[in-house]
Amino acid sequence: MSRRLVSLTLDTLEDLPRPCRQCVYWELDPVSADRACAAGDPGLEKEAWVSQTLLEWGSCGKLAYVDGMPAGFVMYAPPAYVPRSMAFPTSPVSADAALLMTANVVPAFAGGGLGRMLVQGVARDLTKRGIKAIEAFGDAKFGDGDDPTRACVAPADFFLSVGFKTVRPHPRFPRLRLELRTALSWKSDVEYALEKLLGSMSPETLLRPVRPAPATRSTAG
């Protein structure tokens, strides 16, 4: 079974599950999102959001493929790009963090570590860009009731299982945080995933600091 992780682009956007491809829950404020849905084609608004974010900020999502099949994705951005982020009772997101908006694994591929692999990919990307942490709003009651927007907010238990810590508790929408130095210290199953993703590049060189070479005596006078 081969796994690979790719960045979200306007081309790979089409590989999102159809309900997610048409969803603008995060990308627009609640009033604008309702208006876009009423107009009949929220997918155009989502494409416009992805295009603008890519141009102005850079990579804003990761997709996981298993044997060439789209198996899961995450989306993330600075909170200033995510109008919905201000609608939560545990807002605002910390100034030094990017917001992980949503995470989704196709049910057929659930339980195989793809969620952790996706978060690790986000962590590596954001670390390279000088961002110190990832924050997310989790749903502490995921799966209860018939609210269709519940699927847009990932379960709080998922974030806790991949290393996030609660920074602002709430009975429904706690805000959670993952320090990126913590994310990059993950080993074991993450090393295995990275080896699959990066081929011949050793996970050891990515996850641990390189030891300096022993000093040699100079022969210069």
Side-chain angles (χ1 to χ4, degrees):
M1 181 181 293
S2 65
R3 300 180 176 189
R4 64 189 179 98
L5 205 63
V6 304
S7 294
L8 178 68
T9 65
L10 291 179
D11 293 327
T12 58
L13 179 64
E14 300 307 318
D15 284 341
L16 266 57
R18 181 167 179 78
C20 302
R21 173 64 180 86
Q22 297 294 318
C23 177
V24 288
Y25 177 85
W26 289 101
E27 292 83 358
L28 301 176
D29 65 80
V31 173
S32 298
D34 289 344
R35 187 179 299 125
C37 292
D41 196 357
L44 290 176
E45 294 285 353
K46 192 176 193 86
E47 182 175 334
W49 183 91
V50 170
S51 177
Q52 179 181 4
T53 306
L54 286 170
L55 286 171
E56 296 180 358
W57 184 67
S59 180
C60 57
K62 298 287 181 187
L63 290 90
Y65 294 82
V66 176
D67 292 338
M69 295 291 294
F73 75 96
V74 291
M75 293 183 67
Y76 55 97
Y81 283 79
V82 189
R84 175 73 66 163
S85 68
M86 294 307 298
F88 284 82
T90 48
S91 297
V93 174
S94 302
D96 64 348
L99 176 64
L100 198 160
M101 299 151 56
T102 190
N104 181 286
V105 174
V106 175
F109 298 101
L114 286 179
R116 180 173 285 240
M117 188 175 79
L118 284 161
V119 172
Q120 178 69 12
V122 176
R124 289 190 294 109
D125 177 36
L126 294 179
T127 297
K128 292 176 184 177
R129 295 153 79 171
I131 295 173
K132 297 182 181 298
I134 309 169
E135 292 192 1
F137 299 103
D139 188 344
K141 298 181 179 180
F142 187 86
D144 295 346
D146 299 321
D147 182 355
T149 65
R150 285 181 181 272
C152 302
V153 184
D157 286 347
F158 163 71
F159 292 117
L160 293 170
S161 74
V162 296
F164 282 72
K165 305 296 183 185
T166 302
V167 292
R168 190 168 176 192
H170 186 269
R172 173 74 189 279
F173 293 121
R175 179 159 51 89
L176 307 103
R177 180 179 173 95
L178 179 66
E179 302 289 344
L180 291 185
R181 64 177 179 271
T182 300
L184 294 181
S185 70
W186 286 340
K187 299 178 176 66
S188 63
D189 57 331
V190 178
E191 289 183 351
Y192 175 79
L194 285 173
E195 186 176 8
K196 288 287 188 181
L197 290 172
L198 302 175
S200 61
M201 293 182 65
S202 168
E204 298 291 324
T205 63
L206 292 170
L207 296 171
R208 298 192 178 103
V210 177
R211 297 181 182 276
T216 56
R217 194 180 299 274
S218 173
T219 58

